[in-house]
Amino acid sequence: MHELSITQSIVEAVLDRTGDRKVTVVNLTIGRLSGVVPDAVRFCFDLVADGTPLAGAELRIEEPVGAAVCRSCAREFELTDPIPLCRCGSADVSILHGRELSVTSVKVL
């Protein structure tokens, strides 16, 4: 489960910025094409945050859908599947978004 190490990195990144201040909310963006399972991050968060200023913080995760543009027919379309395939049959697509994985904000006391 790579989500455990990802969650550890998220907690460390927040702690690097917030120090010893109590964190009450952590907002993440995890795109649906990122390969990261938001529910697994939620599960790991409380375990990893325990004993840190993030203990008890609310974790909010935004999960934007993917989007791509076909290089063959120039059609822009939503991607819900990690296999990018245009309606025209082409797999020659450019991913526009959906691979995001970022801490978008935190709330501290």
Side-chain angles (χ1 to χ4, degrees):
M1 178 196 305
H2 71 286
E3 281 81 358
L4 177 59
S5 62
I6 289 169
T7 306
Q8 288 172 324
S9 295
I10 290 167
V11 168
E12 289 170 7
V14 171
L15 288 172
D16 285 347
R17 294 291 184 128
T18 60
D20 292 333
R21 293 182 293 172
K22 176 71 177 156
V23 175
T24 59
V25 179
V26 176
N27 292 298
L28 302 179
T29 299
I30 301 176
R32 293 189 188 172
L33 303 177
S34 68
V36 177
V37 179
D39 285 340
V41 172
R42 286 183 184 95
F43 176 80
C44 294
F45 184 77
D46 289 335
L47 298 171
V48 174
D50 190 43
T52 74
L54 278 79
E58 178 184 356
L59 181 64
R60 299 177 186 163
I61 301 176
E62 180 184 354
E63 301 176 48
V65 297
V69 63
C70 180
R71 291 185 184 113
S72 298
C73 71
R75 180 177 169 266
E76 191 171 316
F77 58 99
E78 185 177 291
L79 274 175
T80 56
D81 190 288
I83 300 171
L85 188 61
C86 181
R87 187 173 24 184
C88 77
S90 175
D92 186 16
V93 301
S94 177
I95 306 296
L96 301 174
H97 54 84
R99 292 183 174 162
E100 301 87 345
L101 176 58
S102 63
V103 177
T104 52
S105 66
V106 296
K107 184 176 180 181
V108 296
L109 291 179

